Structures are given as structure tokens and as C-alpha cells.
Amino acid sequence: MNDLSSTSSDIHSRMSSGSRRRAAIAAITSVFARELRAYFFTPLAYVFIAVFLLSLGAFTFEIGRFFDTNRADLAPFFFFHPWLYLVFLPAVTMRLWAEEIRSGTLELLLTLPAPVWALTVGKFLAAWTVAGVALVLTFPMWISVNYLGSPDNTAILLAYLMSFMMAGGYVALSSALSALAGNQVVAFVLAVTIGFIFTVMGLPLVASGLSDLLGAGVAEGARSFSFLTHFEAAQRGVLEIRALFFYAGFIVLWLTLNTLWISSRRAG
């Protein structure tokens, strides 16, 4: 509550200088800072990052059999990113709005002199930053593969950037469902379920099944909305502009829904 009061004071002080645009930017930065404090002044972010790194290492070395490939690349490492994001990022994000609703601070937050979309963006950027920090801390993998051989570092950098964009998609989805559900457990289950659908639609087995049941056009259409489909090219070192548009559009879509659902709570 003290954080919220200081956030309100911060925004009020910045509004004195002027425009609605500045008020929105003030709200984004204030909410972003407040949420980052909530993550890093508690064990939440550290536990998430530690478990994420341990899980990613275990999957890469034990299941991906990193050393058995005899190739100087990070394909076994990037392969597991979507599947780990699918579980870990809803766990980080489920509290964003559900906790505000549970504790009764949402009403106070909505009285801030700022548009709802700015509050949504501030919260989203904070959770996305936590995901980005976790991703950056995997750099020992990059160093290791350079020590073992001569990988295509441009391709690896591209895969990292697209992985970060993909993480933004999972975060935006989970944040919106936190606003919709108003309960952390329900938000987590919904986010994993819907995220799973947007992930598996890119698997050949699922595409084949959809093609048999509904036709090749429907299968191809469903495949084009999968996180996996748009991450595959980046893993091969190929930059596809449509993949960038897909992830950016996916983030904007779910942030818009997030804003609408929170606005409806204020109206109700």
C-alpha cells in the first residue's frame, strides 16, 4: 500500500509538468518500478530465475544430450525455451492483477491519474524484464559453445532475441488472464492451457491431425499462430520479419484485452 501511495505521489508530481502523454509515461515508469521492487525485494524473482536456469540446464544436457550432438551450436538449448516459458512465465505473471484484486488495492490503483493501458504496460514490462534477466543469465551456455567450437554467433544472437520476443508473448497472455480471472491459481491454469494451445499448434503431429480432420487450410492457419512455428526459423539463424510481427502483434493483442478487462472492472 505504501508503494502504491508513493506511486500515486510520483505520478501526481510528474503530471504537474503537463500533458497526458507525460502522465502516461510517468504511470508506466512508476508502475514498472513498483512491480520490479515487488519481484526483486522478495524471493519471487530469485526463486524463479534459479529454478528456470536449473531446469533449462537439466533439459539441455540430460534430455537434449548437448555433448552427444558433436555440434558447436545451441539447438538443444533453444529447443526447450517455449516449453519452459509455457510453465514458468505464468507462474511469475499470475500475481500481477490477481493480487491487486485479492488485496483490494486495484480500486486504489485505478484512481491514479493515468490511463489503464499505461498501468497494463508498466506491469507487463516489469514481468518481461524478469524473463529477460533469466535469459541473460544463460550466457555461460553461449560461452561454453564458443569454447568447444566455432558456432555462428550471429545466429545464436538472433535466437536469443526471438526467444525474448516469444517470452513477451507468454507474459502478455498470462498478464491478461490474471486480469480476467482475478485469482492466481485460476489465472495460472488458464495461461498454461491457452499457452499450450498456441504452442502445440506448431507441432507436425498436431498439424497432421488438424489437416485430416478439418483440411489442410485450417491446419496451416492454426500452425501460423503457433509460437513454435515462428521460433523455428530463428533457431536456424534465419530472421523472418513475419515472426517479429507475429510476436509484436500477439503482445499488443493480449495487452489490449488486459486493458479492456481491467477497465470493465472499474466500470463495474
Side-chain angles (χ1 to χ4, degrees):
M1 190 72 75
N2 290 334
D3 279 348
L4 200 54
S5 300
S6 63
T7 300
S8 178
S9 302
D10 192 16
I11 293 174
H12 274 293
S13 63
R14 297 181 190 207
M15 276 193 71
S16 61
S17 64
S19 67
R20 294 176 62 185
R21 184 171 63 86
R22 288 190 176 184
I25 293 173
I28 291 172
T29 55
S30 298
V31 171
F32 172 75
R34 171 176 176 257
E35 292 300 329
L36 271 191
R37 285 196 296 272
Y39 278 121
F40 287 101
F41 285 7
T42 65
L44 179 61
Y46 303 102
V47 170
F48 159 72
I49 291 171
V51 176
F52 176 79
L53 294 177
L54 288 172
S55 300
L56 189 55
F59 276 95
T60 301
F61 290 109
E62 296 299 326
I63 299 177
R65 306 191 71 79
F66 176 76
F67 290 114
D68 293 345
T69 62
N70 292 318
R71 293 184 307 179
D73 63 37
L74 288 178
F77 166 74
F78 286 114
F79 176 82
F80 295 103
H81 283 207
W83 304 104
L84 292 176
Y85 289 158
L86 173 63
V87 176
F88 281 94
L89 293 182
V92 170
T93 314
M94 64 184 182
R95 54 164 289 281
L96 279 180
W97 293 102
E99 180 61 20
E100 303 279 8
I101 295 167
R102 187 199 66 78
S103 63
T105 55
L106 179 64
E107 289 77 8
L108 182 58
L109 187 64
L110 292 178
T111 63
L112 295 178
V116 175
W117 67 263
L119 308 178
T120 301
V121 170
K123 283 178 172 286
F124 163 75
L125 290 177
W128 198 14
T129 298
V130 174
V133 170
L135 195 57
V136 167
L137 290 178
T138 63
F139 73 93
M141 292 294 300
W142 196 348
I143 295 174
S144 298
V145 79
N146 273 276
Y147 177 78
L148 295 171
S150 301
D152 184 346
N153 285 311
T154 302
I156 292 176
L157 177 61
L158 173 62
Y160 263 107
L161 291 176
M162 294 306 287
S163 178
F164 183 58
M165 290 296 294
M166 181 170 57
Y170 283 107
V171 168
L173 167 68
S174 304
S175 177
L177 293 173
S178 176
L180 175 66
N183 176 285
Q184 294 195 37
V185 175
V186 176
F188 175 80
V189 172
L190 284 175
V192 171
T193 303
I194 297 176
F196 180 76
I197 293 171
F198 278 107
T199 304
V200 300
M201 287 192 303
L203 291 175
L205 179 64
V206 175
S208 176
L210 285 175
S211 181
D212 292 342
L213 288 173
L214 303 171
V218 173
E220 186 58 32
R223 190 174 179 275
S224 67
F225 285 97
S226 170
F227 287 114
L228 293 181
T229 301
H230 295 283
F231 192 49
E232 284 174 352
Q235 289 179 275
R236 298 193 308 272
V238 177
L239 173 61
E240 288 188 339
I241 300 301
R242 65 177 179 176
L244 279 175
F245 277 112
F246 169 77
Y247 288 127
F250 193 89
I251 290 170
V252 170
L253 170 65
W254 285 98
L255 290 184
T256 301
L257 290 173
N258 192 154
T259 301
L260 292 174
W261 287 332
I262 289 299
S263 297
S264 70
R265 287 183 180 275
R266 177 162 65 179

